[in-house]
Amino acid sequence: MDIFNYRRRVSSVTNIGGIPLGGDNPIRVQSMTDTSTRDVEASVKQVLDIADAGADYVRLTTQGVLEVDALAVIRKTLRAKGNTTPLIADIHFNPNVADAAAKITDKIRINPGNFTDSARVFKIIEYTDESYREEIKRLEERFIQLLNICKEHNTALRIGVNHGSLSDRIMSRYGDTPDGIAESCMEFLRVCKRERFDNVALSIKASNTVVMVKSVRLLIDAMEREDMNYPLHLGVTEAGDGEDGRIKSAVGIGALLCDGIGDTIRVSLSEPPQNEVPVALQLVNYVQEREGHKEIIATPYEGYSYLNMERRPTFSVANVGGDNTPIVICNGDCSLTGTLKPDYILKESLCVGENISIKVIGVEEIEHYENCTEPLILKLQYPQLTDSVIAFIENHKSVIVMAYSNHANMVGELRATAHTLTRRGCDNPVVLMLQYAENEKEALQIKCGADLGALLLDGVGNGVMIANNGCIDNNTITTIAFSALQAARLRTTKTEYISCPGCGRTQFDLQKTVARIKEATAHLVGLKIGIMGCIVNGPGEMADADYGYVGAARGKISLYKGKVCIEKNIPEDEAVERLLKFIEEDRK
């Protein structure tokens, strides 16, 4: 993996309806309906809305044979209207439904965690090597039956792993780890390869961006070691809505796209599904603008591992670097208070903090600061890292580097700056100065999210400053910086909501419920609250949440504390108040 230069990963091609995936084809965008699949009229309308927004594929939940029958009618109705968008059937828990759906649609998605396994119940099972092999043999026999149907009907298959629904078999052998997530996918891929079924795509999704990115990297490494190169679908599950949903998706998906990984994406928002498509298109287009850029010549520092994602080692200067959480610098005046107040405000050549002001200089000024022992910010870009500049940094343990880039691949050049400093013995902290010229808030959210995701999740950056030459106010820009740090799991400054995008399985009005819970709990800084439409992935995906609100049945809600269900089947009209009351009492 060349972490400094953007090149798309080479994958095989999977045929999905009339729109091939992978290879030299464009990065595809998709979404999923949130209507009941049995409601043919509503589902047809939503597929058309999603397709009109620019999606290449549309997925529909397919719980049982009635949904399979409805999906066949939906497909026929769309074709009669002249719409040829490939449709994907989303299957959980029932391999017989997968068999039936594979006969009538363009692609099916199965979940390895519940294809032949029962729902995850978070229990540890003691397996001998022989009993584990027996489980795998049972899985393979049933899976081959599905592959044969897919071959006969030219139906594509997505093996879609969800962090929240790993089988108890995988959990018992590997634990709740990225290695286990990757292996959950590889178990099925080995069967595909042995059966010579290549019309397959893969996905690994999680609501935790760190887990999602590391798991995908491990999966690619495992595939390469076993001579596989299947195309990848990217997504962050339960990203939420609004700014948080956009930034969290951009951080996770963008981190991989910036490294050339990903053949199709979905931005999962707790909003109408057609809202997801423009966000995904902006993200793809922004990352691909760096194609064909001027090559960046750099070498990773010794000990760096693309698979392990450890923080770049640094010492501390003032409150920057070392074990400190990443700082936020506002480029100009800011009126934010509380947890979102920036650590420093840059005013001309001074960074002004609570009880400290740090001088900011350029490389052309270093000769005047040879004897300086006070904290100093040295602003530079990669081509300025000459031997004399590096010697100055190495000899001054009070220097914070503020790295910026005018290169077409800003991520690659900022990585090159950080890696070169470490390789040359400079463990000074690095503040990332990202430069944009945006007038639309959403565009800035997406671009910052993608760039910071690639850098922060790869261990680079002890602070962030966003310099935007456009008509977006500094309060908004500062909030974006804090949101990106929280999405990368590096600094928590507000309540985090793990809320799903909704689908035909959703048991309540998701968007209204999310808004209501947010309004009542936004002051609970540091808490993670899961808001999940159904039990398929809900209890698992929100397993690291402090509290959870999960649709149990139509009009019924179950409440969770962590992984433990504390109240079952509460009437929906009482559930939000019961959740808030429980949180209040529990926190006492």
Side-chain angles (χ1 to χ4, degrees):
M1 169 61 68
D2 184 346
I3 63 170
F4 306 112
N5 294 285
Y6 175 80
R7 296 181 184 88
R8 270 190 72 186
R9 167 182 169 266
V10 178
S11 72
S12 58
V13 175
T14 294
N15 294 302
I16 306 170
I19 302 180
L21 172 68
D24 295 329
N25 294 291
I27 296 175
R28 307 297 189 185
V29 167
Q30 57 184 281
S31 184
M32 183 175 184
T33 61
D34 62 8
T35 55
S36 167
T37 306
R38 296 187 197 180
D39 188 338
V40 172
E41 184 178 354
S43 297
V44 166
K45 182 182 183 304
Q46 201 164 77
V47 170
L48 292 172
D49 289 343
I50 294 170
D52 288 344
D56 297 292
Y57 312 123
V58 178
R59 183 158 47 112
L60 299 92
T61 186
T62 315
Q63 302 101 300
V65 292
L66 292 177
E67 283 78 13
V68 174
D69 293 340
L71 182 58
V73 178
I74 290 167
R75 191 173 188 274
K76 182 178 179 181
T77 305
L78 287 166
R79 299 302 179 259
K81 290 177 177 289
N83 180 278
T84 57
T85 302
L87 302 183
I88 303 166
D90 191 66
I91 315 292
H92 293 271
F93 297 114
N94 197 331
N96 294 329
V97 172
D99 291 346
K103 298 173 183 178
I104 57 94
T105 194
D106 302 290
K107 178 184 174 184
I108 60 169
R109 178 271 173 122
I110 62 166
N111 183 338
N114 57 40
F115 178 68
T116 57
D117 297 275
S118 58
R120 171 174 166 180
V121 293
F122 305 103
K123 67 178 180 180
I124 300 299
I125 304 169
E126 294 296 330
Y127 284 101
T128 65
D129 288 344
E130 182 179 355
S131 63
Y132 200 89
R133 282 193 297 270
E134 285 298 314
E135 286 273 334
I136 297 298
K137 182 179 178 182
R138 178 174 64 84
L139 175 159
E140 291 178 349
E141 289 174 350
R142 185 61 186 84
F143 186 44
I144 288 171
Q145 179 179 323
L146 174 61
L147 293 183
N148 288 335
I149 294 171
C150 289
K151 288 178 183 178
E152 180 183 353
H153 294 272
N154 196 29
T155 304
L157 171 71
R158 168 149 73 97
I159 300 169
V161 179
N162 273 61
H163 180 209
S165 54
L166 296 176
S167 67
D168 285 320
R169 180 186 69 259
I170 286 287
M171 291 284 289
S172 298
R173 175 62 64 96
Y174 294 91
D176 190 7
T177 64
D179 294 275
I181 295 169
E183 178 61 22
S184 180
C185 194
M186 290 301 295
E187 286 181 346
F188 282 71
L189 276 185
R190 293 184 187 108
V191 182
C192 290
K193 184 178 179 182
R194 192 166 60 245
E195 295 296 312
R196 299 183 179 178
F197 181 82
D198 297 324
N199 208 26
V200 63
L202 319 168
S203 69
I204 285 179
K205 295 188 178 184
S207 61
N208 182 323
T209 57
V210 178
V211 171
M212 174 253 190
V213 170
K214 183 169 184 177
S215 300
V216 172
R217 289 181 176 186
L218 288 170
L219 173 62
I220 292 172
D221 180 67
M223 282 200 291
E224 288 176 349
R225 285 187 277 107
E226 299 190 32
D227 194 28
M228 303 175 187
N229 65 337
Y230 301 111
L232 285 160
H233 168 66
L234 305 180
V236 176
T237 59
E238 287 77 49
D241 63 353
E243 175 172 285
D244 291 338
R246 284 157 177 77
I247 292 177
K248 191 173 185 181
S249 294
V251 165
I253 298 170
L256 293 164
L257 287 178
C258 286
D259 288 343
I261 296 167
D263 302 284
T264 176
I265 74 168
R266 180 197 175 190
V267 173
S268 299
L269 300 175
S270 300
E271 300 178 19
Q274 57 269 30
N275 289 11
E276 300 176 348
V277 181
V279 179
L281 289 170
Q282 281 192 75
L283 180 55
V284 168
N285 292 338
Y286 173 60
V287 172
Q288 290 198 307
E289 287 174 0
R290 60 202 74 184
E291 274 187 340
H293 65 73
K294 182 180 178 181
E295 188 173 11
I296 300 167
I297 307 299
T299 303
Y301 63 79
E302 186 177 357
Y304 167 77
S305 170
Y306 184 72
L307 299 180
N308 288 331
M309 298 168 61
E310 295 179 348
R311 303 296 299 161
R312 170 181 168 263
T314 63
F315 52 76
S316 176
V317 178
N319 63 335
V320 187
D323 295 329
N324 295 296
T325 56
I327 64 163
V328 170
I329 301 175
C330 179
N331 185 29
D333 290 329
C334 177
S335 61
L336 290 173
T337 59
T339 59
L340 294 180
K341 180 183 177 182
D343 303 279
Y344 291 90
I345 291 177
L346 180 63
K347 296 183 176 181
E348 296 182 354
S349 60
L350 276 182
C351 253
V352 181
E354 191 77 28
N355 298 304
I356 186 173
S357 293
I358 304 176
K359 180 73 174 176
V360 181
I361 67 170
V363 294
E364 68 281 356
E365 301 174 77
I366 60 175
E367 61 183 276
H368 304 300
Y369 292 87
E370 286 293 347
N371 298 318
C372 180
T373 58
E374 296 297 315
L376 195 66
I377 293 177
L378 177 58
K379 184 179 171 184
L380 57 78
Q381 54 184 322
Y382 183 57
Q384 295 175 310
L385 274 183
T386 60
D387 288 343
S388 60
V389 171
I390 289 173
F392 175 83
I393 297 169
E394 186 178 11
N395 293 329
H396 290 76
K397 302 303 181 185
S398 59
V399 167
I400 300 164
V401 174
M402 180 180 281
Y404 70 99
S405 172
N406 295 315
H407 195 278
N409 184 13
M410 175 168 59
V411 165
E413 196 169 76
L414 290 172
R415 280 175 169 170
T417 299
H419 279 260
T420 300
L421 286 171
T422 304
R423 195 169 54 82
R424 295 289 297 271
C426 303
D427 292 338
N428 304 61
V430 171
V431 171
L432 304 168
M433 175 182 169
L434 305 185
Q435 302 178 108
Y436 304 96
E438 300 300 327
N439 294 316
E440 297 294 331
K441 181 172 68 172
E442 183 176 84
L444 188 61
Q445 292 166 348
I446 293 165
K447 293 181 179 184
C448 285
D451 293 329
L452 286 172
L455 292 160
L456 296 172
L457 293 179
D458 205 36
V460 172
N462 306 101
V464 175
M465 187 180 87
I466 300 170
N468 184 62
N469 184 21
C471 56
I472 302 175
D473 65 271
N474 283 339
N475 285 358
T476 299
I477 293 170
T478 302
T479 302
I480 290 172
F482 278 114
S483 294
L485 287 171
Q486 180 150 328
R489 298 290 176 118
L490 290 173
R491 183 171 178 174
T492 299
T493 49
K494 52 189 175 181
T495 315
E496 180 172 346
Y497 300 95
I498 303 169
S499 63
C500 68
C503 68
R505 297 185 301 266
T506 301
Q507 302 292 336
F508 55 86
D509 188 321
L510 185 70
Q511 292 160 41
K512 287 183 179 179
T513 303
V514 169
R516 197 170 160 205
I517 292 175
K518 274 189 167 185
E519 184 180 7
T521 60
H523 63 289
L524 302 174
V525 174
L527 278 191
K528 294 196 286 286
I529 299 176
I531 309 165
M532 314 299 294
C534 73
I535 61 168
V536 172
N537 295 316
E541 288 296 355
M542 61 162 209
D544 69 340
D546 300 291
Y547 305 98
Y549 180 107
V550 180
R554 187 62 63 185
K556 299 291 184 180
I557 305 298
S558 292
L559 302 181
Y560 285 74
K561 180 179 179 181
K563 299 176 183 179
V564 179
C565 183
I566 53 173
E567 289 192 71
K568 290 184 178 180
N569 299 320
I570 301 168
E572 184 184 343
D573 58 3
E574 302 174 15
V576 172
E577 285 73 17
R578 295 268 279 275
L579 173 66
L580 299 177
K581 183 178 179 182
F582 179 79
I583 292 174
E584 182 181 343
E585 292 176 351
D586 191 55
R587 282 169 60 83
K588 289 179 181 178

